[in-house]
Amino acid sequence: MEKLQQLYEGKAKKVYATSDENLLIVDYKDDATAFNGLKKGTIAGKGVINNKMSNFLMQLLEKKGVPTHFCEEISDRETVVKKVSIVPLEVIIRNVSAGSFSKKYGVEEGIVFDEPTIEFSYKNDELGDPLLNAYHAIALKLATRDEIELIKKMAFTVDQVLTEYFLGLGIRLVDFKLEFGRLADGTIVLADEISPDTCRLWDVKTNEKLDKDRFRRDMGGVEDAYNEVMKRLMGNK
Ligand code: ADP
Ligand code: UDP
């Protein structure tokens, strides 16, 4: 599969057309941003780790019955994916309090919830990705009621599968963001990426942060954290 014209350059990935109108190539960069692009930097090797990790987890999810956009990894940083029309919702699942949840509700980080929470934000950089509920999403015609129900179900399945898998690696899946898209025939599949950029991952024993919070909060050891997750997940593959 050959890269044709670049269709889009985002904050973390470039997206290319291919000779097949239903397929795209995504190319993962080392660029890192936080706070809606206000903070910018580089995490050396991140593109390779996020590409491989996302592909590994999407294949695991496929095996567990969650349809995804994944087709084929073609290099360290590049993957062929099914082209979707992205549902402009960031779907966030939380198992443990952290980040904006802790800030908004005035609670410490690290409270383990009795059951996971789900929230949506409108994927719109100009508006700063505002939080909205299912009624708002339907009013704005971002998705239908049926699509939202399906997305919720899929997101909780992703949480179950990944929580269990990460626990086996000594990692607590604190929270994460998913994106879904529609194939040409309307089928909803999991798209975008699952990586330390989009998940909070804490070491079970030490609570050490193994994710992008190390970059957001200038904690240092960012590359080491990404490498550690990669090593636990895939050995030296
Ligand atoms: P951002 O747009 O937030 O800066 P990225 O740098 O990750 O994010 O850019 C990748 C873009 O590609 C995102 O807008 C994402 O929604 C979109 N995308 C992810 N998977 C697919 C797919 N399978 N088909 C079409 N677009 C996709
Ligand atoms: N997240 C993301 N992209 C975003 C916003 C959030 O991948 O644009 C992820 C983030 O990495 C975390 C989860 O979603 O794993 C919840 O993020 P939160 O709402 O706490 O926001 P933050 O603290 O990152 O501003």
Side-chain angles (χ1 to χ4, degrees):
M1 190 62 58
E2 204 186 322
K3 264 183 183 171
L4 299 180
Q5 77 275 21
Q6 184 180 305
L7 299 176
Y8 178 76
E9 175 160 9
K11 298 184 287 289
K13 302 189 281 296
K14 294 180 188 173
V15 180
Y16 295 87
T18 69
S19 51
D20 184 331
E21 62 170 0
N22 294 312
L23 300 177
L24 299 172
I25 291 175
V26 289
D27 185 343
Y28 286 72
K29 308 189 285 181
D30 286 350
D31 298 356
T33 63
F35 314 118
N36 200 15
L38 243 51
K39 183 181 171 82
K40 289 195 175 72
T42 304
I43 301 174
K46 172 172 87 82
V48 174
I49 289 175
N50 286 9
N51 182 39
K52 296 193 169 186
M53 178 168 163
S54 194
N55 292 341
F56 181 86
L57 295 175
M58 294 241 182
Q59 287 173 87
L60 174 73
L61 289 164
E62 288 271 359
K63 278 188 220 140
K64 303 283 183 177
V66 179
T68 79
H69 72 166
F70 175 80
C71 286
E72 188 191 0
E73 188 172 295
I74 52 170
S75 78
D76 276 359
R77 290 176 184 273
E78 296 165 310
T79 294
V80 179
V81 299
K82 292 175 193 157
K83 179 170 156 184
V84 300
S85 139
I86 290 284
V87 176
L89 293 174
E90 301 205 330
V91 181
I92 293 173
I93 297 272
R94 301 177 191 272
N95 299 301
V96 178
S97 65
S100 70
F101 183 96
S102 288
K103 201 165 170 220
K104 192 177 290 124
Y105 301 116
V107 295
E108 64 189 300
E109 295 200 310
I111 301 165
V112 178
F113 301 153
D114 292 341
E115 52 180 280
T117 68
I118 189 164
E119 71 209 41
F120 303 107
S121 32
Y122 180 17
K123 190 174 149 61
N124 183 319
D125 282 341
E126 268 169 46
L127 298 175
D129 297 341
L131 207 62
L132 44 61
N133 66 30
Y135 294 96
H136 299 143
I138 295 165
L140 292 167
K141 302 195 193 314
L142 307 182
T144 65
R145 178 182 300 276
D146 287 350
E147 285 175 335
I148 291 174
E149 280 311 309
L150 182 61
I151 285 172
K152 273 197 209 160
K153 220 174 123 197
M154 287 168 73
F156 283 123
T157 304
V158 170
D159 184 46
Q160 274 175 7
V161 171
L162 296 189
T163 293
E164 185 188 327
Y165 198 82
F166 276 118
L167 214 51
L169 308 172
I171 292 172
R172 187 180 301 285
L173 179 60
V174 170
D175 58 30
F176 57 95
K177 182 267 300 179
L178 301 175
E179 291 181 26
F180 293 85
R182 300 176 190 96
L183 299 176
D185 69 357
T187 308
I188 297 277
V189 300
L190 179 63
D192 204 50
E193 67 175 279
I194 307 173
S195 72
D197 274 13
T198 63
C199 301
R200 285 195 170 93
L201 303 166
W202 296 356
D203 182 86
V204 165
K205 287 207 189 100
T206 64
N207 278 333
E208 191 189 355
K209 296 186 196 307
L210 300 172
D211 57 59
K212 196 167 147 188
D213 270 348
R214 302 198 77 88
F215 169 78
R216 293 190 189 99
R217 302 178 187 188
D218 294 319
M219 297 169 74
V222 186
E223 279 89 359
D224 286 349
Y226 278 64
N227 280 316
E228 178 62 26
V229 175
M230 183 69 176
K231 196 177 87 190
R232 290 196 205 179
L233 202 58
M234 306 184 62
N236 290 320
K237 258 179 264 171

PDB file of all heavy atoms in Angstrom, residues 11 33-40 103 128-129 200 212-213 215-218:
ATOM      1  N   LYS A  11      -2.202  17.047  15.446  1.00  0.00           N
ATOM      2  CA  LYS A  11      -1.197  17.337  16.468  1.00  0.00           C
ATOM      3  C   LYS A  11      -0.245  16.158  16.664  1.00  0.00           C
ATOM      4  O   LYS A  11       0.916  16.353  16.991  1.00  0.00           O
ATOM      5  CB  LYS A  11      -1.889  17.710  17.794  1.00  0.00           C
ATOM      6  CG  LYS A  11      -2.747  18.983  17.650  1.00  0.00           C
ATOM      7  CD  LYS A  11      -3.362  19.445  18.953  1.00  0.00           C
ATOM      8  CE  LYS A  11      -4.509  18.599  19.448  1.00  0.00           C
ATOM      9  NZ  LYS A  11      -5.757  18.723  18.657  1.00  0.00           N
ATOM     10  N   THR A  33       1.437  17.586  22.325  1.00  0.00           N
ATOM     11  CA  THR A  33       0.791  18.840  22.712  1.00  0.00           C
ATOM     12  C   THR A  33      -0.098  18.556  23.919  1.00  0.00           C
ATOM     13  O   THR A  33      -0.465  17.409  24.175  1.00  0.00           O
ATOM     14  CB  THR A  33      -0.111  19.412  21.589  1.00  0.00           C
ATOM     15  OG1 THR A  33      -1.168  18.484  21.352  1.00  0.00           O
ATOM     16  CG2 THR A  33       0.651  19.665  20.309  1.00  0.00           C
ATOM     17  N   ALA A  34      -0.395  19.601  24.651  1.00  0.00           N
ATOM     18  CA  ALA A  34      -1.334  19.475  25.773  1.00  0.00           C
ATOM     19  C   ALA A  34      -2.066  20.796  25.915  1.00  0.00           C
ATOM     20  O   ALA A  34      -1.649  21.805  25.337  1.00  0.00           O
ATOM     21  CB  ALA A  34      -0.591  19.135  27.054  1.00  0.00           C
ATOM     22  N   PHE A  35      -3.136  20.772  26.681  1.00  0.00           N
ATOM     23  CA  PHE A  35      -3.947  21.968  26.939  1.00  0.00           C
ATOM     24  C   PHE A  35      -4.392  22.613  25.626  1.00  0.00           C
ATOM     25  O   PHE A  35      -4.124  23.785  25.372  1.00  0.00           O
ATOM     26  CB  PHE A  35      -3.190  22.955  27.847  1.00  0.00           C
ATOM     27  CG  PHE A  35      -2.541  22.284  29.030  1.00  0.00           C
ATOM     28  CD1 PHE A  35      -1.161  22.312  29.210  1.00  0.00           C
ATOM     29  CD2 PHE A  35      -3.313  21.557  29.930  1.00  0.00           C
ATOM     30  CE1 PHE A  35      -0.564  21.654  30.281  1.00  0.00           C
ATOM     31  CE2 PHE A  35      -2.722  20.898  31.007  1.00  0.00           C
ATOM     32  CZ  PHE A  35      -1.343  20.951  31.181  1.00  0.00           C
ATOM     33  N   ASN A  36      -5.014  21.777  24.776  1.00  0.00           N
ATOM     34  CA  ASN A  36      -5.554  22.213  23.492  1.00  0.00           C
ATOM     35  C   ASN A  36      -4.490  22.915  22.641  1.00  0.00           C
ATOM     36  O   ASN A  36      -4.753  23.934  22.012  1.00  0.00           O
ATOM     37  CB  ASN A  36      -6.778  23.111  23.711  1.00  0.00           C
ATOM     38  CG  ASN A  36      -7.660  23.194  22.461  1.00  0.00           C
ATOM     39  OD1 ASN A  36      -7.524  22.385  21.543  1.00  0.00           O
ATOM     40  ND2 ASN A  36      -8.542  24.171  22.426  1.00  0.00           N
ATOM     41  N   GLY A  37      -3.275  22.354  22.649  1.00  0.00           N
ATOM     42  CA  GLY A  37      -2.220  22.856  21.767  1.00  0.00           C
ATOM     43  C   GLY A  37      -1.379  23.981  22.358  1.00  0.00           C
ATOM     44  O   GLY A  37      -0.416  24.426  21.745  1.00  0.00           O
ATOM     45  N   LEU A  38      -1.732  24.448  23.568  1.00  0.00           N
ATOM     46  CA  LEU A  38      -0.992  25.551  24.198  1.00  0.00           C
ATOM     47  C   LEU A  38       0.439  25.135  24.552  1.00  0.00           C
ATOM     48  O   LEU A  38       1.372  25.924  24.416  1.00  0.00           O
ATOM     49  CB  LEU A  38      -1.716  25.999  25.477  1.00  0.00           C
ATOM     50  CG  LEU A  38      -2.239  27.431  25.496  1.00  0.00           C
ATOM     51  CD1 LEU A  38      -3.074  27.742  24.261  1.00  0.00           C
ATOM     52  CD2 LEU A  38      -3.071  27.689  26.754  1.00  0.00           C
ATOM     53  N   LYS A  39       0.592  23.910  25.042  1.00  0.00           N
ATOM     54  CA  LYS A  39       1.918  23.394  25.396  1.00  0.00           C
ATOM     55  C   LYS A  39       2.370  22.471  24.273  1.00  0.00           C
ATOM     56  O   LYS A  39       1.631  21.582  23.864  1.00  0.00           O
ATOM     57  CB  LYS A  39       1.806  22.624  26.717  1.00  0.00           C
ATOM     58  CG  LYS A  39       3.116  22.076  27.256  1.00  0.00           C
ATOM     59  CD  LYS A  39       2.852  21.313  28.557  1.00  0.00           C
ATOM     60  CE  LYS A  39       4.080  20.577  29.023  1.00  0.00           C
ATOM     61  NZ  LYS A  39       5.011  21.417  29.761  1.00  0.00           N
ATOM     62  N   LYS A  40       3.591  22.717  23.785  1.00  0.00           N
ATOM     63  CA  LYS A  40       4.103  21.920  22.666  1.00  0.00           C
ATOM     64  C   LYS A  40       5.458  21.346  23.028  1.00  0.00           C
ATOM     65  O   LYS A  40       6.242  21.986  23.725  1.00  0.00           O
ATOM     66  CB  LYS A  40       4.289  22.808  21.432  1.00  0.00           C
ATOM     67  CG  LYS A  40       2.991  23.260  20.781  1.00  0.00           C
ATOM     68  CD  LYS A  40       3.274  23.808  19.372  1.00  0.00           C
ATOM     69  CE  LYS A  40       2.017  24.168  18.610  1.00  0.00           C
ATOM     70  NZ  LYS A  40       1.357  25.371  19.112  1.00  0.00           N
ATOM     71  N   LYS A 103     -10.295  17.926  39.285  1.00  0.00           N
ATOM     72  CA  LYS A 103     -10.324  19.381  39.353  1.00  0.00           C
ATOM     73  C   LYS A 103     -11.766  19.894  39.451  1.00  0.00           C
ATOM     74  O   LYS A 103     -12.117  20.683  40.327  1.00  0.00           O
ATOM     75  CB  LYS A 103      -9.636  19.933  38.097  1.00  0.00           C
ATOM     76  CG  LYS A 103      -9.161  21.329  38.259  1.00  0.00           C
ATOM     77  CD  LYS A 103      -8.180  21.734  37.171  1.00  0.00           C
ATOM     78  CE  LYS A 103      -7.965  23.235  37.280  1.00  0.00           C
ATOM     79  NZ  LYS A 103      -7.899  23.881  35.986  1.00  0.00           N
ATOM     80  N   GLY A 128     -12.639  24.462  22.196  1.00  0.00           N
ATOM     81  CA  GLY A 128     -11.947  23.871  23.352  1.00  0.00           C
ATOM     82  C   GLY A 128     -12.575  22.573  23.822  1.00  0.00           C
ATOM     83  O   GLY A 128     -12.595  22.277  25.018  1.00  0.00           O
ATOM     84  N   ASP A 129     -13.095  21.781  22.879  1.00  0.00           N
ATOM     85  CA  ASP A 129     -13.664  20.461  23.201  1.00  0.00           C
ATOM     86  C   ASP A 129     -14.643  20.502  24.386  1.00  0.00           C
ATOM     87  O   ASP A 129     -14.422  19.834  25.399  1.00  0.00           O
ATOM     88  CB  ASP A 129     -12.548  19.443  23.500  1.00  0.00           C
ATOM     89  CG  ASP A 129     -11.641  19.181  22.309  1.00  0.00           C
ATOM     90  OD1 ASP A 129     -12.043  19.482  21.169  1.00  0.00           O
ATOM     91  OD2 ASP A 129     -10.523  18.679  22.531  1.00  0.00           O
ATOM     92  N   ARG A 200      -4.609   7.316  30.872  1.00  0.00           N
ATOM     93  CA  ARG A 200      -3.777   7.429  32.079  1.00  0.00           C
ATOM     94  C   ARG A 200      -3.487   6.014  32.557  1.00  0.00           C
ATOM     95  O   ARG A 200      -4.416   5.213  32.743  1.00  0.00           O
ATOM     96  CB  ARG A 200      -4.480   8.235  33.177  1.00  0.00           C
ATOM     97  CG  ARG A 200      -4.499   9.720  32.908  1.00  0.00           C
ATOM     98  CD  ARG A 200      -4.857  10.544  34.145  1.00  0.00           C
ATOM     99  NE  ARG A 200      -4.614  11.953  33.876  1.00  0.00           N
ATOM    100  CZ  ARG A 200      -5.541  12.808  33.410  1.00  0.00           C
ATOM    101  NH1 ARG A 200      -6.770  12.392  33.205  1.00  0.00           N
ATOM    102  NH2 ARG A 200      -5.226  14.060  33.168  1.00  0.00           N
ATOM    103  N   LYS A 212       1.075  10.422  29.462  1.00  0.00           N
ATOM    104  CA  LYS A 212       1.338  11.800  29.032  1.00  0.00           C
ATOM    105  C   LYS A 212       1.268  12.834  30.159  1.00  0.00           C
ATOM    106  O   LYS A 212       1.749  13.957  29.988  1.00  0.00           O
ATOM    107  CB  LYS A 212       0.345  12.157  27.917  1.00  0.00           C
ATOM    108  CG  LYS A 212       0.722  13.385  27.127  1.00  0.00           C
ATOM    109  CD  LYS A 212      -0.137  13.461  25.879  1.00  0.00           C
ATOM    110  CE  LYS A 212      -0.429  14.871  25.479  1.00  0.00           C
ATOM    111  NZ  LYS A 212      -1.414  14.914  24.390  1.00  0.00           N
ATOM    112  N   ASP A 213       0.694  12.487  31.305  1.00  0.00           N
ATOM    113  CA  ASP A 213       0.712  13.427  32.428  1.00  0.00           C
ATOM    114  C   ASP A 213       2.149  13.832  32.790  1.00  0.00           C
ATOM    115  O   ASP A 213       2.367  14.936  33.286  1.00  0.00           O
ATOM    116  CB  ASP A 213       0.007  12.836  33.664  1.00  0.00           C
ATOM    117  CG  ASP A 213      -1.484  13.155  33.681  1.00  0.00           C
ATOM    118  OD1 ASP A 213      -1.928  14.016  32.873  1.00  0.00           O
ATOM    119  OD2 ASP A 213      -2.213  12.549  34.484  1.00  0.00           O
ATOM    120  N   PHE A 215       4.422  14.568  30.743  1.00  0.00           N
ATOM    121  CA  PHE A 215       4.690  15.703  29.846  1.00  0.00           C
ATOM    122  C   PHE A 215       3.841  16.913  30.262  1.00  0.00           C
ATOM    123  O   PHE A 215       4.356  18.022  30.429  1.00  0.00           O
ATOM    124  CB  PHE A 215       4.371  15.282  28.406  1.00  0.00           C
ATOM    125  CG  PHE A 215       4.351  16.415  27.412  1.00  0.00           C
ATOM    126  CD1 PHE A 215       5.517  16.967  26.917  1.00  0.00           C
ATOM    127  CD2 PHE A 215       3.127  16.935  26.961  1.00  0.00           C
ATOM    128  CE1 PHE A 215       5.487  18.015  25.999  1.00  0.00           C
ATOM    129  CE2 PHE A 215       3.091  17.978  26.049  1.00  0.00           C
ATOM    130  CZ  PHE A 215       4.271  18.519  25.570  1.00  0.00           C
ATOM    131  N   ARG A 216       2.532  16.676  30.460  1.00  0.00           N
ATOM    132  CA  ARG A 216       1.631  17.785  30.821  1.00  0.00           C
ATOM    133  C   ARG A 216       2.127  18.506  32.066  1.00  0.00           C
ATOM    134  O   ARG A 216       2.056  19.714  32.167  1.00  0.00           O
ATOM    135  CB  ARG A 216       0.215  17.259  31.121  1.00  0.00           C
ATOM    136  CG  ARG A 216      -0.537  16.685  29.934  1.00  0.00           C
ATOM    137  CD  ARG A 216      -2.010  16.435  30.307  1.00  0.00           C
ATOM    138  NE  ARG A 216      -2.705  15.692  29.277  1.00  0.00           N
ATOM    139  CZ  ARG A 216      -2.932  14.381  29.321  1.00  0.00           C
ATOM    140  NH1 ARG A 216      -2.545  13.657  30.369  1.00  0.00           N
ATOM    141  NH2 ARG A 216      -3.569  13.780  28.334  1.00  0.00           N
ATOM    142  N   ARG A 217       2.625  17.724  33.036  1.00  0.00           N
ATOM    143  CA  ARG A 217       2.961  18.283  34.358  1.00  0.00           C
ATOM    144  C   ARG A 217       4.456  18.486  34.548  1.00  0.00           C
ATOM    145  O   ARG A 217       4.918  18.672  35.673  1.00  0.00           O
ATOM    146  CB  ARG A 217       2.405  17.357  35.445  1.00  0.00           C
ATOM    147  CG  ARG A 217       0.906  17.193  35.320  1.00  0.00           C
ATOM    148  CD  ARG A 217       0.309  16.233  36.345  1.00  0.00           C
ATOM    149  NE  ARG A 217      -1.102  15.994  36.063  1.00  0.00           N
ATOM    150  CZ  ARG A 217      -1.924  15.318  36.861  1.00  0.00           C
ATOM    151  NH1 ARG A 217      -1.475  14.808  37.985  1.00  0.00           N
ATOM    152  NH2 ARG A 217      -3.185  15.162  36.520  1.00  0.00           N
ATOM    153  N   ASP A 218       5.232  18.414  33.466  1.00  0.00           N
ATOM    154  CA  ASP A 218       6.699  18.611  33.526  1.00  0.00           C
ATOM    155  C   ASP A 218       7.356  17.757  34.603  1.00  0.00           C
ATOM    156  O   ASP A 218       8.165  18.244  35.396  1.00  0.00           O
ATOM    157  CB  ASP A 218       7.027  20.098  33.781  1.00  0.00           C
ATOM    158  CG  ASP A 218       6.598  20.971  32.610  1.00  0.00           C
ATOM    159  OD1 ASP A 218       6.788  20.563  31.456  1.00  0.00           O
ATOM    160  OD2 ASP A 218       6.062  22.070  32.870  1.00  0.00           O
TER     161      ASP A 218
END
